[in-house]
Amino acid sequence: MASSLLSPSFSSFLRSKKDLSLSAFSSQRCLKAVPRRVRCAVAAPQRQPSTTGSVRTAMTMTEKILARASEKAQLSPADNVWVNVDILMTHDVCGPGSIGIFKREFGEDAKVWDREKVVIIPDHYIFTSDERANRNVDILRDFCHEQNIKYFYDIKDLGNFKANPDYKGVCHIALAQEGHCRPGEVLLGTDSHTCTAGAFGQFATGIGNTDAGFVLGTGKLLLKVPPTLRFVMDGEMPDYLLSKDLILQIIGEITVAGATYKSMEFVGTTVESLSMEERMTLCNMVVEAGGKNGVVPADSTTSKYLEGKTSIPYEPVYSDQQARFLSEYRFDVSKLEPLVAKPHSPDNRALARECKDVKIDRVYIGSCTGGKTEDFMAAAKVFLASGKKVKVPTFLVPATQKVWMDIYSIPVPGSGGKTCSQIFQEAGCDTPASPSCGACLGGPKDTYARMNEPKVCVSTTNRNFPGRMGHKEGQIYLASPYTAAASALTGYVTDPREFLQ
């Protein structure tokens, strides 16, 4: 690899800086050549470059993580490297296929490369009578027993999820809560929203069943190093905005193809002020822009969240000051307004207040994007401020068993000690359902809150393509928990400032 380390393959990278706010978009790109800075440890004019010693070029976070995982001193975008995997996650939808490929290619009696680095989480099609969905969980269980997998979060009693202490719920939230996410590591999963874990300052991305089958047997995967887009978000976050608004703003700006096979790095004072759950929301939807991964630099917020969750040492990495970014986008968050993504694409961005005449049939609060504890606390805040009852069916699906318990136990600030569950009940919402992916991706016909008719839904989920939540003629407006709760109270798409100001 010596020659590739010295090759100035990306010395012509351009940095494009954009100052963006919702009220005023810059239509011009300011392009500035970024010089390649190379430092030679030993200089000898008479020698060939390959013998001059170590060469160090500034790298981004993603490049550094992949360099460490591939045992390389230097990586550049477009390099192909064999990466050592720290964690492989799979679930009930893709797990059986990955297991089948593993057995076909490595043998029926083959063992996984490391039973403590494979995490298997049933979460998608769980609370259903569909026999094929139930069979998928059985396949996972048999494999985990056969392989003595340490981290298998099983569920057997579908009638009462609380009777299953090992069951967690949505894989991306469970990975964080159970301490499987660590700065500087490589986490791969057979789900496109595996990128959620990038909030912890690690490389996390979704892979297919074939790749997962190979990782099961070897603990390695061939990856191409992505170039990085940098998103600098500064300014005080208004009390009517959430991270969902920020990522919808970004996707609306760059489109669903704007980050195709690129890393999306989030920095700035606004990002630094976000909680871990809000950072997870930000990274969760980078794949909706085509991103390979999203990443937030680890800091004290990260380390505090990880206290008591993992005993495995970790070492964060950070982008060098002179690292090359394909483009840089800047946002003044204080000027942004609540957003929605109209049907049928996550980049079909609009101001919530511009959609006030859109009549809706239901509201859905849940998923890996919008079903975390803080998401329900945000929704409860709106219901509490209004003192009113919802005008449309409002479905609540906690991401994990821990989130479900939080809904019933943690007092909502300013409520006089009331929990989310009490506020939801007073507002006339449905009783919080069993934790799972629920209707986010449709699922079997008997999935809770599935759209089996062509309804109009405001949802805290991540995709609004035709058929995504069930019926192919259903219309989904993606929104933050604030906007979802406000819309439930009026029966129309509603700007949450109507209740929060």
Side-chain angles (χ1 to χ4, degrees):
M1 292 295 292
S3 59
S4 65
L5 297 184
L6 293 167
S7 172
S9 57
F10 268 72
S11 60
S12 59
F13 254 21
L14 297 180
R15 176 178 293 155
S16 169
K17 294 188 176 181
K18 292 187 176 183
D19 285 296
L20 300 171
S21 69
L22 189 60
S23 58
F25 295 138
S26 171
S27 61
Q28 296 181 347
R29 296 175 65 93
C30 177
L31 302 179
K32 181 176 70 173
V34 179
R36 181 180 178 87
R37 300 192 176 186
V38 181
R39 172 173 58 84
C40 296
V42 179
Q46 70 276 20
R47 296 178 180 174
Q48 294 299 317
S50 61
T51 61
T52 60
S54 63
V55 175
R56 178 72 169 86
T57 302
M59 290 189 288
T60 66
M61 284 181 64
T62 292
E63 291 159 11
K64 283 187 176 182
I65 294 170
L66 295 180
R68 178 192 292 173
S70 60
E71 301 176 1
K72 303 291 184 183
Q74 183 72 42
L75 286 181
S76 296
D79 286 348
N80 293 297
V81 288
W82 286 102
V83 171
N84 294 311
V85 179
D86 294 293
I87 293 290
L88 173 69
M89 182 280 298
T90 191
H91 51 53
D92 54 293
V93 173
C94 297
S98 301
I99 291 167
I101 291 169
F102 166 72
K103 288 180 172 289
R104 184 189 72 197
E105 299 299 328
F106 292 91
E108 285 293 326
D109 299 324
K111 295 296 182 183
V112 298
W113 100 99
D114 191 327
R115 73 177 192 87
E116 295 189 8
K117 292 187 176 182
V118 177
V119 181
I120 298 185
I121 310 178
D123 66 346
H124 275 59
Y125 305 148
I126 305 303
F127 303 103
T128 173
S129 60
D130 187 279
E131 293 182 357
R132 289 175 294 182
N134 298 156
R135 179 198 62 189
N136 278 358
V137 179
D138 293 338
I139 292 172
L140 296 184
R141 185 180 302 114
D142 291 344
F143 181 74
C144 289
H145 289 167
E146 169 194 307
Q147 297 284 335
N148 195 24
I149 299 297
K150 184 175 182 179
Y151 299 109
F152 171 48
Y153 299 109
D154 195 10
I155 181 168
K156 294 180 180 178
D157 186 346
L158 302 183
N160 178 17
F161 72 88
K162 296 187 291 294
N164 304 269
D166 291 337
Y167 177 68
K168 302 304 173 188
V170 177
C171 57
H172 310 300
I173 311 307
L175 282 169
Q177 292 176 343
E178 299 304 312
H180 299 298
C181 301
R182 289 175 289 269
E185 292 192 352
V186 172
L187 186 154
L188 304 180
T190 57
D191 189 288
S192 59
H193 291 106
T194 301
C195 51
T196 305
F200 290 84
Q202 65 183 135
F203 179 86
T205 195
I207 59 174
N209 291 2
T210 302
D211 283 348
F214 185 83
V215 175
L216 282 171
T218 66
K220 297 178 182 293
L221 190 64
L222 183 66
L223 291 174
K224 183 172 73 172
V225 180
T228 298
L229 303 178
R230 194 179 220 196
F231 298 86
V232 184
M233 288 176 280
D234 290 316
E236 183 176 355
M237 186 94 143
D239 59 8
Y240 46 80
L241 290 185
L242 293 168
S243 281
K244 183 65 168 290
D245 297 295
L246 303 186
I247 193 62
L248 289 180
Q249 164 72 12
I250 289 170
I251 297 170
E253 172 62 20
I254 68 174
T255 79
V256 290
T260 301
Y261 210 94
K262 298 176 181 67
S263 175
M264 296 174 68
E265 182 175 317
F266 303 102
V267 297
T269 57
T270 307
V271 177
E272 292 167 5
S273 72
L274 297 177
S275 67
M276 283 310 303
E277 289 195 357
E278 283 287 84
R279 295 177 188 187
M280 289 165 69
T281 301
L282 204 57
C283 290
N284 173 271
M285 286 188 67
V286 301
V287 70
E288 270 66 64
K292 182 64 174 177
N293 69 301
V295 67
V296 174
D299 57 13
S300 59
T301 300
T302 317
S303 57
K304 184 176 181 180
Y305 182 94
L306 291 173
E307 286 178 5
K309 290 184 172 66
T310 182
S311 59
I312 298 175
Y314 55 84
E315 184 181 351
V317 299
Y318 304 94
S319 291
D320 292 322
Q321 187 174 358
Q322 300 301 322
R324 297 180 188 83
F325 298 99
L326 188 61
S327 293
E328 184 176 275
Y329 298 79
R330 289 186 173 272
F331 298 84
D332 182 349
V333 173
S334 66
K335 295 180 181 178
L336 300 183
E337 297 185 50
L339 297 170
V340 296
K342 299 185 295 184
H344 293 283
S345 179
D347 64 1
N348 193 12
R349 179 189 59 193
L351 293 171
R353 60 180 173 84
E354 293 176 337
C355 301
K356 59 184 177 61
D357 295 327
V358 176
K359 192 176 187 302
I360 66 172
D361 301 304
R362 55 168 53 193
V363 164
Y364 185 96
I365 301 175
S367 83
C368 55
T369 317
K372 304 178 290 300
T373 297
E374 291 177 12
D375 297 316
F376 288 103
M377 295 287 280
K381 178 181 176 181
V382 176
F383 292 136
L384 184 68
S386 74
K388 300 178 181 179
K389 288 187 176 292
V390 299
K391 292 188 176 179
V392 294
T394 302
F395 304 101
L396 312 170
V397 186
T400 65
Q401 190 155 182
K402 182 184 183 305
V403 174
W404 188 93
M405 292 188 291
D406 288 346
I407 288 174
Y408 280 87
S409 61
I410 298 179
V412 175
S415 68
K418 292 180 180 179
T419 63
C420 286
S421 62
Q422 291 172 308
I423 294 172
F424 293 151
Q425 184 178 18
E426 292 173 359
C429 302
D430 265 33
T431 301
S434 300
S436 74
C437 294
C440 173
L441 69 164
K445 286 282 181 110
D446 60 351
T447 298
Y448 174 77
R450 186 184 191 273
M451 284 207 293
N452 291 322
E453 298 175 354
K455 303 283 188 180
V456 179
C457 178
V458 172
S459 178
T460 65
T461 55
N462 43 54
R463 288 177 183 156
N464 57 351
F465 308 125
R468 171 67 181 184
M469 295 185 73
H471 200 284
K472 65 181 181 180
E473 294 178 11
Q475 296 185 50
I476 304 165
Y477 287 77
L478 302 179
S480 76
Y482 280 163
T483 302
S487 302
L489 290 166
T490 64
Y492 291 83
V493 174
T494 301
D495 188 315
R497 285 177 289 187
E498 288 194 19
F499 302 101
L500 295 177
Q501 287 187 335

